[in-house]
Amino acid sequence: MIRLLLIVLLALLIGTGLSLGLQYDLGYIRISLGHYLIETNFWVGLGLIVALIVLTVLTINLIRRLRTSTGLVAGWIARGNERRARRRTTQGLLALAEGNWPRARKLLTSSASHADTPLINYLAAAQASFETGDHEAVDDLLRKAFDSTPGSDMAVGITQAQLQLAGNRLEQALATLVRLRKQSPHHPFVLKLLKNTYLRLEDWRELSRLLPELRKRSVLSEAELNDLERQVWHNLLERAAEDCRRQQKQDPDASLEPLTRLWDELPGFLRRDEYTIRDYARLLASLGDEVQTETLLRKVLRNHWSDELINLYGRVKGQKPDEQLLLAEQWLKDRPNNPELLLALGRLSLRNELWGKAREYFETSLRLKRSREALAELSRLNAHMGEEEASVKLLMQGLAKDNGLPELPMPRA
């Protein structure tokens, strides 16, 4: 109310001043512009000047408002593009999940430039392109994904490695993963992908170097790690044995140093593992070093019993076969009904040319367990002892058992 009164008072004062001023002749205003001359009454000129000022102010305000409205329009257009990009991205991801690869790729790439997360669009589009077999497009989309989002090199690299592995491009995947591991040496998923790559490449040596890091970072469960470690060292032992065989072809007196050196490199739990010991012992025996094989098996069997290892023990020839037989007979006191031990004792008796004792051990083993090995050993022994009929009968029993033949009537000879 007070403000309105002040405005009215000010207007009255200005009006009064103008009415008083108009009573006096204040002259005129004369403006010369080149060949033009403008003359006007002072009060008219003053009004024109005021009108010009007001017009200028209005023009400036109008320009400002136009600029503001242009920004609003641009913002409205941008928000519309973002809404469409989100909708098309959702449709593209649905198409990807449904296996409609061409549609997914089209929707995801067309909306990437206006999407909130262009990285997701490009990575998903790369997946769709991979499914269509367009590897060039995959590489191009992955480059766009990298350029679209700073700090995305790990995400892009992992996706690239996964697609390379899925496409069986193992060498390229290995190069990608080695690069990623240099950037992040302890990244669990990179380590897991690297493990899968080495496994498919059968690069057992590199995989053995990776195993400690896999265990340290808990990339796999304990059981999975133990199985993987057994597989790795089993294959390394096989390759070392193959190297020894090649050397023996060139030099029959060549040492087994590649194999024995690798055995010394094995982790402690594997050197106590029954299956690893069995593999190593078989390889030693196959390479002709039965004495060392017998020594190893004897040490292990004293502390850890294994039917598989005692079976192998009965197959190898130690330095002193008679002592080998006596040691096995001592084990029989604690395990009198073990068919594998009895089979091994029969073989060790044959090694010492104790034919009757060998037959007894084989027959006792067969009474406890009808195994193919015991049948074959007893049949062979009977044949060499002149008991062909008993040998043939045992062979027929073994064949019937191995082939699952039913009990049927047969003609008498």
Side-chain angles (χ1 to χ4, degrees), residues 384-405:
H384 283 81
M385 293 179 71
E387 300 180 11
E388 288 82 3
E389 185 178 348
S391 175
V392 170
K393 185 177 180 180
L394 286 169
L395 283 176
M396 294 300 296
Q397 290 176 1
L399 286 171
K401 180 182 177 183
D402 291 343
N403 293 282
L405 301 181

Side-chain angles (χ1 to χ4, degrees), residues 140-298:
D140 181 58
L141 289 165
L142 289 175
R143 280 193 295 271
K144 289 181 178 179
F146 177 80
D147 296 335
S148 69
T149 307
S152 62
D153 49 343
M154 184 60 66
V156 173
I158 288 175
T159 302
Q160 184 179 28
Q162 287 180 298
L163 294 179
Q164 288 168 337
L165 281 172
N168 206 34
R169 299 160 67 189
L170 301 181
E171 296 295 342
Q172 294 92 324
L174 179 60
T176 301
L177 290 168
V178 168
R179 174 176 57 81
L180 291 176
R181 194 185 179 196
K182 288 180 181 178
Q183 296 177 13
S184 183
H186 311 306
H187 195 291
F189 196 53
V190 171
L191 294 173
K192 187 173 184 178
L193 290 175
L194 199 55
K195 180 268 294 184
N196 293 339
T197 306
Y198 284 137
L199 200 58
R200 291 173 61 178
L201 286 169
E202 297 186 355
D203 193 341
W204 308 113
R205 176 51 69 183
E206 287 299 326
L207 196 49
S208 70
R209 298 190 180 104
L210 187 65
L211 282 170
E213 190 69 18
L214 294 175
R215 190 177 294 277
K216 185 177 180 180
R217 304 298 164 188
S218 301
V219 175
L220 302 172
S221 67
E222 191 68 21
E224 288 176 317
L225 276 169
N226 290 339
D227 290 341
L228 178 62
E229 200 151 12
R230 286 190 187 95
Q231 181 183 4
V232 168
W233 288 102
H234 167 79
N235 283 281
L236 285 174
L237 288 170
E238 289 282 355
R239 291 193 174 181
E242 190 61 34
D243 292 339
C244 292
R245 290 189 187 96
R246 283 196 293 267
Q247 292 179 8
Q248 285 181 339
K249 287 181 180 179
Q250 299 174 358
D251 180 10
D253 297 327
S255 70
L256 305 182
E257 194 264 343
L259 182 61
T260 56
R261 183 181 67 247
L262 187 63
W263 172 258
D264 294 335
E265 294 179 16
L266 259 66
F269 90 94
L270 282 179
R271 296 181 66 180
R272 298 185 297 272
D273 178 69
E274 172 185 342
Y275 302 104
T276 308
I277 293 169
R278 178 200 62 194
D279 291 342
Y280 177 61
R282 284 178 176 172
L283 291 172
L284 274 179
S286 68
L287 291 168
D289 197 344
E290 295 191 55
V291 173
Q292 187 174 346
T293 305
E294 188 272 331
T295 303
L296 171 66
L297 292 173
R298 179 171 10 102

Side-chain angles (χ1 to χ4, degrees), residues 13-27 41-43:
L13 289 173
I14 293 172
T16 303
L18 288 173
S19 62
L20 292 174
L22 288 173
Q23 297 176 3
Y24 299 96
D25 185 9
L26 298 178
N41 183 277
F42 172 80
W43 294 107

Side-chain angles (χ1 to χ4, degrees), residues 13-165:
L13 289 173
I14 293 172
T16 303
L18 288 173
S19 62
L20 292 174
L22 288 173
Q23 297 176 3
Y24 299 96
D25 185 9
L26 298 178
Y28 62 93
I29 297 173
R30 184 177 184 180
I31 301 173
S32 177
L33 294 173
H35 299 291
Y36 298 97
L37 180 65
I38 301 173
E39 291 184 358
T40 182
N41 183 277
F42 172 80
W43 294 107
V44 175
L46 181 61
L48 291 173
I49 292 172
V50 171
L52 181 61
I53 293 172
V54 171
L55 183 60
T56 302
V57 171
L58 291 175
T59 303
I60 292 172
N61 287 335
L62 180 61
I63 292 172
R64 287 178 177 175
R65 287 186 179 183
L66 287 173
R67 287 182 177 178
T68 304
S69 63
T70 302
L72 291 173
V73 171
W76 179 78
I77 293 173
R79 286 191 294 274
N81 289 335
E82 290 174 359
R83 285 193 298 271
R84 283 191 295 273
R86 282 194 291 270
R87 184 173 64 254
R88 291 174 71 84
T89 297
T90 302
Q91 293 171 348
L93 292 174
L94 287 174
L96 183 69
E98 294 168 358
N100 191 343
W101 318 124
R103 174 175 168 78
R105 174 181 168 181
K106 180 180 179 180
L107 289 169
L108 291 166
T109 52
S110 63
S111 59
S113 57
H114 298 293
D116 298 328
T117 54
L119 177 66
I120 302 300
N121 286 59
Y122 285 124
L123 292 181
Q127 174 71 37
S129 297
F130 169 78
E131 296 294 346
T132 61
D134 191 347
H135 296 295
E136 291 184 5
V138 170
D139 295 336
D140 181 58
L141 289 165
L142 289 175
R143 280 193 295 271
K144 289 181 178 179
F146 177 80
D147 296 335
S148 69
T149 307
S152 62
D153 49 343
M154 184 60 66
V156 173
I158 288 175
T159 302
Q160 184 179 28
Q162 287 180 298
L163 294 179
Q164 288 168 337
L165 281 172

